[in-house]
Amino acid sequence: MTNFPPLAVAALASSAAAALSFLIILPPAAAATTPPVFVSAFASCAQSSSLSSSSSVPYSAAAASHLLRSTSSRSRCTSSKTTHTTAMAAQGKKYNPLSMFGDMASSLIPGGGGGGQADEQLDKTISSTVPSSWDDIRAKLESKQTDEERNFRANVIGGYGTASPLNVVRLFDETNTKDDIRVVFYRDSASWCPYCHKVWMCLEEKRIPYRVEKINMRCYGEKPASFARMQPSGAIPVAKIDGVVYNQSNDIIFSLEQIFADEKKSLSPKSEEEKTRAQRLLRLERQLFSAWMSWLTAGDGRDG
């Protein structure tokens, strides 16, 4: 059995990952026309990096050199694969997406890249191993998806279904419209700020429609000037409720409780015992945050 050079294996693995990513994001309407072009790109890269088995340089070094030069030489490569796949489409034949790896493999395996009968044989071998077209693969995927998975992107855009860091609006269900949004929630763009999480969970639990504005934390860059004017300290989260700005997480939560008291589920403690416990936990939260922030910003001289 041929021992494939590590560079060839890495190139094929990278191509496989790219192809799978491409399949996931490919719109159904584009599936019939895009694969030949996609294959042509792989073929161009493969042809421009084909190697001679008699190279006097170590194989991996020669492969690296050729692959690095492939970008500049790609425009000069032939378009035989595009012609081949276009002809297949004209004849009504299904294109096997995995045959693109044959193009890559034939150029990276010593003595390959010659085209013609060797390429056709390699295509036949791969097609017999995985006899699937793009349509076949997509249909199989969709047959295993739940309704929520199939509608995920549409729900993210519409603000319905399960909450996602990708949401820019949250309406929860179709009984709400964008006209019902009274809250603008300014949270971190990275979605990991714990104080943003507090407000986020409160909005979700109470099912209050809201719009999201994502703001950089300082470690990720400058904040927009419009946000700095509204919140001079730059701290997040911030919420604008009915046009009024609230700029501290606990204040936001308490305000949401009061303003939407008659319309939405209450999260407030009922008994005096529960209220006392809640206040104790809130004080503990502030103490923990202060201790953590002090440790984080103490510099190299900190203990431990």
Side-chain angles (χ1 to χ4, degrees):
M1 181 176 179
T2 303
N3 290 322
F4 294 95
L7 185 62
V9 176
L12 289 170
S14 176
S15 301
L20 290 174
S21 299
F22 179 82
L23 171 62
I24 291 169
I25 63 171
L26 186 67
T33 57
T34 307
V37 179
F38 190 54
V39 172
S40 179
F42 276 99
S44 298
C45 179
Q47 290 163 1
S48 63
S49 61
S50 59
L51 307 172
S52 169
S53 58
S54 60
S55 173
S56 58
V57 205
Y59 186 83
S60 58
S65 174
H66 279 268
L67 285 174
L68 287 172
R69 290 200 301 271
S70 67
T71 303
S72 61
S73 62
R74 188 176 301 160
S75 61
R76 300 193 297 272
C77 294
T78 64
S79 58
S80 60
K81 270 296 170 185
T82 304
T83 305
H84 172 64
T85 51
T86 304
M88 289 181 66
Q91 297 170 18
K93 295 181 179 179
K94 286 187 175 182
Y95 183 79
N96 187 320
L98 293 185
S99 65
M100 69 181 70
F101 303 126
D103 302 328
M104 204 63 157
S106 64
S107 68
L108 291 171
I109 296 171
Q117 189 173 358
D119 283 349
E120 291 179 10
Q121 182 58 44
L122 193 52
D123 277 353
K124 288 178 181 177
T125 302
I126 294 175
S127 296
S128 64
T129 304
V130 186
S132 301
S133 67
W134 287 116
D135 291 338
D136 295 333
I137 295 171
R138 182 175 292 281
K140 187 172 182 179
L141 171 64
E142 291 178 349
S143 71
K144 295 181 180 297
Q145 288 178 314
T146 63
D147 288 341
E148 185 176 6
E149 289 170 338
R150 276 191 289 272
N151 297 325
F152 173 75
R153 291 291 172 184
N155 285 341
V156 163
I157 294 170
Y160 307 126
T162 304
S164 167
L166 301 175
N167 289 128
V168 293
V169 295
R170 281 292 282 153
L171 301 179
F172 297 96
D173 57 52
E174 295 181 357
T175 63
N176 297 313
T177 69
K178 291 184 179 180
D179 293 336
D180 296 313
I181 294 176
R182 297 166 55 188
V183 178
V184 181
F185 176 35
Y186 297 82
R187 67 165 178 81
D188 63 311
S189 54
S191 305
W192 63 259
C193 168
Y195 293 96
C196 294
H197 284 176
K198 286 168 54 179
V199 177
W200 194 352
M201 288 188 287
C202 178
L203 288 165
E204 288 293 320
E205 187 67 19
K206 294 176 73 67
R207 295 177 67 83
I208 298 172
Y210 62 94
R211 179 165 60 85
V212 177
E213 292 287 344
K214 297 179 182 179
I215 305 297
N216 279 336
M217 298 182 76
R218 287 192 179 91
C219 53
Y220 294 127
E222 296 298 320
K223 299 176 188 289
S226 58
F227 181 78
R229 287 192 294 270
M230 181 177 63
Q231 172 73 314
S233 71
I236 49 176
V238 170
K240 191 182 289 184
I241 308 173
D242 293 333
V244 179
V245 175
Y246 300 84
N247 54 14
Q248 201 276 337
S249 59
N250 287 343
D251 291 344
I252 297 170
I253 291 173
F254 294 145
S255 298
L256 290 172
E257 278 290 292
Q258 294 172 353
I259 294 169
F260 294 92
D262 297 331
E263 308 169 41
K264 301 296 180 181
K265 171 183 177 181
S266 175
L267 302 179
S268 297
K270 300 296 187 290
S271 68
E272 288 302 318
E273 183 182 355
E274 289 176 338
K275 290 178 182 178
T276 301
R277 183 170 181 268
Q279 289 298 324
R280 188 166 62 248
L281 289 172
L282 287 171
R283 287 194 295 271
L284 176 61
E285 175 203 42
R286 298 308 303 176
Q287 291 169 358
L288 291 172
F289 174 75
S290 296
W292 174 74
M293 184 58 70
S294 296
W295 173 84
L296 188 66
T297 58
D300 295 335
R302 59 176 175 256
D303 294 336

